[in-house]
Amino acid sequence: TSIDGIDFFTKNKNYDIVFDCTNAYDAVRHYEVLKELNIKVIDLTPAKIGEICVPCINGDSLQVTDNINMITCGGQASLPLIDAISKSTNNISYIEVVSQIATKSAGMSTRINIDNYIKTTEYAIRKFTKVDECKVILNINPAEPCVFMQTTIFIKFHDLEQINYEHIMCNIYKRLHEVKEYVPFYELVIPPMLNENDILMVSVKVKGSGDDLPSYAGNLDIINAAAVETARKHVNSFALLKSGK
């Protein structure tokens, strides 16, 4: 980190990877600067410049480029389960994701990036599931004491009779275990269930580790953890890409 921001790297070029944690608008300019310096970017903003990544979905198979985008906190919370469900059936007609975060965990960049947050998360849902109809909602909750991040997923099917719920449940619990490998406090709070409108609902809570940030800031912890896991998976590939091999 540096108080000089992106200007620091024009004077100090001996870096392989930069984690951009600024905002979706500045990230575009930062990428152009870092690209010229041959420094690779893991982007924690919803700028949607490079390849989108959720470590447990495409972290191992992602073709490494000079920019990997971590989508959003809501994307990292919801997409593992959405992907697990979509791999269980090709019968999904609509997906809705509603996330709530504590107002104290929503800084200035989060607030100016809300439109980007929604568009980038919806883009990622469509890309991973091939389902065109989706909606993303973010609620910033001022309650005291501060609420933990919670993300609820609603999925509508074309034909309920074609749904294998046992297969869906198995995939969800398998994916839950995979996410917990790098986000320890990722917890299922509402297991998959059909509501009165025959819509599948599932909800997860993300509690932060409480190390440097408050434990209610799970929205910050999950995207940080996803970025670190992505770097861990690809650090050797980044080094080869930088060397031109």
Side-chain angles (χ1 to χ4, degrees):
T1 61
S2 170
I3 60 171
D4 294 329
I6 193 66
D7 294 333
F8 171 86
F9 296 101
T10 61
K11 304 169 187 175
N12 301 272
K13 303 176 183 179
N14 192 28
Y15 290 89
D16 294 322
I17 304 172
V18 165
F19 294 83
D20 192 333
C21 309
T22 57
N23 63 77
Y25 304 106
D26 288 329
V28 176
R29 178 174 61 90
H30 296 165
Y31 168 60
E32 293 301 324
V33 173
L34 295 168
K35 185 177 181 180
E36 287 295 318
L37 298 172
N38 200 24
I39 297 173
K40 312 311 169 189
V41 182
I42 294 182
D43 185 2
L44 284 80
T45 80
K48 202 183 66 170
I49 301 169
E51 294 288 336
I52 61 171
C53 177
V54 177
C56 64
I57 299 177
N58 65 337
D60 292 320
S61 60
L62 185 69
Q63 181 66 41
V64 176
T65 64
D66 54 8
N67 187 300
I68 294 179
N69 182 253
M70 303 314 302
I71 312 169
T72 60
C73 59
Q76 293 297 333
S78 64
L79 280 163
L81 301 188
I82 291 172
D83 180 71
I85 295 169
S86 70
K87 282 181 167 58
S88 307
T89 176
N90 59 1
N91 199 24
I92 298 174
S93 62
Y94 175 75
I95 300 170
E96 185 169 311
V97 175
V98 182
S99 292
Q100 73 158 351
I101 61 175
T103 188
K104 288 184 178 179
S105 71
M108 180 174 65
S109 293
T110 297
R111 295 169 189 272
I112 67 173
N113 284 169
I114 288 178
D115 285 349
N116 307 80
Y117 170 100
I118 291 170
K119 291 176 182 177
T120 299
T121 309
E122 289 179 346
Y123 167 80
I125 291 170
R126 293 188 185 102
K127 182 175 177 65
F128 282 123
T129 67
K130 311 304 180 187
V131 176
D132 289 332
E133 295 297 321
C134 66
K135 180 187 291 186
V136 171
I137 298 170
L138 177 64
N139 294 322
I140 299 177
N141 192 330
E144 293 283 353
C146 294
V147 298
F148 293 114
M149 179 189 188
Q150 185 163 335
T151 296
T152 304
I153 301 159
F154 302 90
I155 293 181
K156 186 176 181 180
F157 300 103
H158 291 291
D159 185 356
L160 283 174
E161 293 184 0
Q162 296 184 23
I163 304 304
N164 185 331
Y165 293 103
E166 185 177 345
H167 192 197
I168 288 174
M169 293 286 286
C170 181
N171 281 355
I172 282 178
Y173 281 101
K174 180 181 177 182
R175 184 54 59 78
L176 188 71
H177 176 75
E178 291 171 356
V179 177
K180 286 172 73 68
E181 289 291 321
Y182 59 94
V183 189
F185 301 109
Y186 181 84
E187 303 290 345
L188 195 66
V189 291
I190 300 177
M193 58 178 290
L194 282 176
N195 66 15
E196 65 276 9
N197 296 314
D198 289 333
I199 293 174
L200 185 73
M201 182 175 71
V202 58
S203 187
V204 290
K205 179 175 71 175
V206 185
K207 181 180 176 183
S209 61
D211 295 330
D212 298 309
L213 298 168
S215 60
Y216 59 74
N219 51 307
L220 305 180
D221 263 32
I222 192 170
I223 196 165
N224 288 343
V228 171
E229 178 70 2
T230 299
R232 186 188 67 77
K233 287 177 178 291
H234 292 286
V235 64
N236 292 331
S237 299
F238 269 120
L240 289 173
L241 199 61
K242 183 178 176 65
S243 67
K245 295 181 180 180

